[in-house]
Amino acid sequence: MTIPSIPNAGSADLPRPLDINEVFRGGGRSVEFLDEINQASVVMLCETGIVPRELGSRIARGIAQVMANEPRAQRSADYLDYEPQLIAVAGPEASRLHSGGSRQDIASTIARMNLRDGLLQECEALIDVRRKLVALAENHKETIIPAYTHGVQAQPTTFAHYLLAFASALARQTERMREAYARINCNPLGAAVLATSSFPLDRKRLAELLGFDGLLENAYDANHLAPIDAFLDLAGDYRSYDPVPCTRPLQVLKLFAEVVDGIVVDKDRALEEVHADYSTTTTTEIADALLQRAQVPFRVGHHFASLLTDYGRSHRLRLSDIPFCEVQRIYRDETKQPLPLSESEFGQVISAYYMVSGRRGVGGPQLAEIDRMLADESARAANDRAWHDEKLRRLADALCELEQRFRAIAAG
């Protein structure tokens, strides 16, 4: 029995364990998030009594001074680089800010805060593109265009129907992002390296101050497994591990939005394209009409329509340009019966407008369904926008509380 080889942990084909140095180099808002982590830590340490208030006040003032001394863009997100700066302004005891902490859980927390930040940015961009698609579709509910399958014209539809397909796909992606956010917005801070510490850290308070909705409870999971499945949650968007993941999707969505904004539709030209070829469903439409109106067996009607198509192509005629007398002759020669459709009825059957407006199925391009889907997609986009804005408010409220508590401790 041959056992297949297993790619090593560093393989680009597999999610990798969290590289804390990669997080600290990751850019994004990493330094800003380290500042928030430090502020939340001193607040929690003072509230729990792990650090005396007077010392906590000095540490808080030191944190504020480090933040004021050098622009964030010039600072490192690595706590090992940060702590000497803090000690330089607040004294050796300032290292107690790190009581019960680890670079490992700090890195996990920064990565997770960057993930949720990028995720919310991408959700906003997705919603904006969806709303642009809906707005454009509103203006093209009756604009007929050709649609293709397997490289050939299949049947006509409307531009609104086509656009709503993309809006629907992006709505599913937004739904996946919302589900991912619920799992990503959980706090690993306080887990230390992998087994917590002897300090009674209040991890729930840290979660509240940093805007997390809950905890990654198992300390081993928090730093060694959860970072990988957080990647898997977003793998459909990013395809590779990146602690600051939103750049490429945002670029793509920005380009998509620009394309939608720049679309100019020539309705007459689109309809001309429909009429320029025999769609693969023309035969089905004719066969369906013969069955529905005269109970002609489907296969009989379908074969007649195929003969009609062959005739038109061999004479370089569009379907609508084939003389009706020839249509009648081909049907009579094939079936030995007169064509059970009048000239006006046959013209209606092969009309692109008929093929669109005559749809009856849920999700089709007929006007009633387009109006329903437009309303549904508008409502879904509005709901997603409300969710997004509520999450931003939740984070803003947490940051406001953090800053208030931090200032109070710094003031002594």
Side-chain angles (χ1 to χ4, degrees), residues 21 82 174 201-202 226 239 252 296 308 314 374 397:
N21 293 312
Y82 175 86
T174 309
L201 303 184
D202 188 344
R239 300 294 173 200
V252 171
V296 175
L308 201 59
S314 66
L374 280 169
D397 289 345

Side-chain angles (χ1 to χ4, degrees), residues 283-291 295-304:
T283 52
T284 301
E285 288 296 329
I286 295 172
D288 285 347
L290 288 170
L291 175 61
Q295 289 73 53
V296 175
F298 178 81
R299 286 301 165 197
V300 172
H302 193 275
H303 184 60
F304 158 67

Side-chain angles (χ1 to χ4, degrees), residues 147 153-156 274 277-283 285 309 313 355:
Q153 189 178 144
Q155 67 184 103
V274 171
D277 196 7
Y278 288 80
S279 69
T280 57
T281 55
T282 299
T283 52
E285 288 296 329
T309 298
R313 285 177 170 163
M355 293 185 195

Side-chain angles (χ1 to χ4, degrees), residues 139-150:
N139 296 324
H140 292 285
K141 295 188 286 188
E142 297 183 86
T143 299
I144 294 178
I145 64 170
Y148 297 84
T149 60
H150 308 293

Side-chain angles (χ1 to χ4, degrees), residues 120-384:
L120 287 175
Q121 290 184 54
E122 185 178 347
C123 279
E124 183 176 30
L126 281 166
I127 295 163
D128 286 345
V129 172
R130 288 164 57 195
R131 295 173 84 167
K132 288 178 182 293
L133 288 168
V134 168
L136 185 59
E138 285 280 2
N139 296 324
H140 292 285
K141 295 188 286 188
E142 297 183 86
T143 299
I144 294 178
I145 64 170
Y148 297 84
T149 60
H150 308 293
V152 297
Q153 189 178 144
Q155 67 184 103
T157 187
T158 66
F159 195 44
H161 190 235
Y162 175 81
L163 293 170
L164 283 171
F166 287 93
S168 181
L170 294 180
R172 290 194 299 275
Q173 180 61 13
T174 309
E175 182 179 359
R176 285 189 285 268
M177 301 297 283
R178 287 180 60 166
E179 292 170 353
Y181 186 88
R183 291 183 288 271
I184 286 170
N185 198 35
C186 294
N187 175 40
L189 194 62
V193 176
L194 55 84
T196 73
S197 75
S198 58
F199 289 94
L201 303 184
D202 188 344
R203 295 188 63 207
K204 290 184 179 179
R205 182 59 171 150
L206 290 171
E208 292 170 359
L209 291 169
L210 294 173
F212 289 108
D213 295 324
L215 298 179
L216 285 166
E217 289 189 353
N218 185 290
Y220 192 101
D221 176 35
N223 292 331
H224 296 272
L225 302 180
I228 296 176
D229 65 51
F231 154 77
L232 292 174
D233 257 332
L234 301 178
D237 302 293
Y238 310 129
R239 300 294 173 200
S240 62
Y241 183 86
D242 185 352
V244 189
C246 68
T247 304
R248 187 173 297 173
L250 286 178
Q251 290 173 339
V252 171
L253 289 170
K254 180 183 177 181
L255 289 172
F256 194 175
E258 291 175 357
V259 168
V260 175
D261 285 337
I263 288 176
V264 177
V265 180
D266 185 332
K267 297 182 180 181
D268 294 335
R269 180 68 185 87
L271 187 59
E272 179 69 17
E273 189 69 19
V274 171
H275 291 153
D277 196 7
Y278 288 80
S279 69
T280 57
T281 55
T282 299
T283 52
T284 301
E285 288 296 329
I286 295 172
D288 285 347
L290 288 170
L291 175 61
Q292 292 165 0
R293 301 184 187 201
Q295 289 73 53
V296 175
F298 178 81
R299 286 301 165 197
V300 172
H302 193 275
H303 184 60
F304 158 67
S306 297
L307 293 174
L308 201 59
T309 298
D310 292 341
Y311 177 89
R313 285 177 170 163
S314 66
H315 289 77
R316 297 184 178 180
L317 294 171
R318 297 177 179 179
L319 182 59
S320 58
D321 293 334
I322 298 176
F324 185 63
C325 61
E326 285 299 299
V327 174
Q328 292 175 308
R329 180 191 62 77
I330 292 169
Y331 185 84
R332 186 174 54 254
D333 288 350
E334 178 62 25
T335 67
K336 312 306 180 187
Q337 299 290 329
L339 179 67
L341 297 175
S342 68
E343 185 170 3
S344 63
E345 288 173 331
F346 181 77
Q348 181 189 51
V349 167
I350 65 173
S351 162
Y353 290 103
Y354 173 84
M355 293 185 195
V356 169
S357 63
R359 305 300 89 188
R360 294 292 180 267
V362 173
Q366 65 269 35
L367 187 58
E369 275 299 282
I370 292 296
D371 284 337
R372 182 188 65 78
M373 289 188 286
L374 280 169
D376 286 351
E377 181 50 41
S378 295
R380 290 175 72 184
N383 178 270
D384 288 335

